[in-house]
Amino acid sequence: MFIMLLSACSSTTVHIYGKYLTKEQKEGVVSIVEQQGLTAEVNQLDFPDSVSHTSIVYSPMLADVESVEGLISSLSTSQWPIVSSGALFSGNHWFKKDTIGLFIVPDGVKPHSGKSMQEIADTYRGENCTSQLNLVLENNGRFRFNHENGEKV
């Protein structure tokens, strides 16, 4: 009885890789995931090199494999058809028990091309300079210079 209670309380977590999504797209995907009775967690992590289109990767120890099929169906009827799905891992991304990785690639985006702001947005630090400046490129295309101590230039 106790074991059944524990399994009823656990939920499959879907890790949504939202690096290329707008705020509204993220909210829409989270809604789809939650409508399937799954827990949604959005991150901004890089995609594995092997992922270039919308994909699902899940743990081979997933207790509710049917949840993957339901999620694929729901995403496909919205604007996110799943091109590939598979158990275990993709690149260096591994998924533990009761987790699903959802990599969403919007139309017109080519992951790993180095051409999108999401891929080049970062903090760049100068080396061997008399004054230590950092260049901060943001996802929205804005940039700023900061001194090493955090002061804006």
Side-chain angles (χ1 to χ4, degrees), residues 16-150:
I16 302 166
Y17 287 69
K19 183 172 188 163
Y20 301 106
L21 300 176
T22 65
K23 180 182 176 187
E24 293 77 20
Q25 289 171 326
K26 288 176 195 171
E27 290 169 355
V29 172
V30 166
S31 176
I32 292 168
V33 168
E34 290 176 345
Q35 287 172 7
Q36 294 296 308
L38 305 169
T39 301
E41 289 186 15
V42 179
N43 66 57
Q44 296 301 115
L45 298 174
D46 290 332
F47 283 30
D49 290 339
S50 60
V51 174
S52 59
H53 47 268
T54 301
S55 305
I56 286 182
V57 179
Y58 54 92
S59 167
M61 298 181 294
L62 190 64
D64 181 17
V65 179
E66 294 81 29
S67 63
V68 173
E69 292 303 320
L71 185 57
I72 289 172
S73 176
S74 292
L75 288 164
S76 293
T77 59
S78 66
Q79 63 179 9
W80 308 113
I82 302 299
V83 177
S84 73
S85 66
L88 200 53
F89 66 94
S90 184
N92 64 349
H93 291 63
W94 291 76
F95 296 94
K96 63 182 183 176
K97 184 178 180 183
D98 290 333
T99 58
I100 298 172
L102 176 56
F103 301 91
I104 301 284
V105 181
D107 289 338
V109 172
K110 293 184 186 329
H112 319 296
S113 68
K115 295 180 181 178
S116 69
M117 283 307 300
Q118 293 89 342
E119 291 181 314
I120 63 173
D122 205 346
T123 299
Y124 297 90
R125 293 171 178 79
E127 293 183 13
N128 301 322
C129 301
T130 56
S131 176
Q132 183 62 44
L133 286 178
N134 298 327
L135 168 63
V136 180
L137 295 178
E138 298 175 3
N139 282 338
N140 62 8
R142 292 184 175 176
F143 69 92
R144 66 180 185 279
F145 290 100
N146 291 343
H147 282 284
E148 186 176 70
N149 63 9

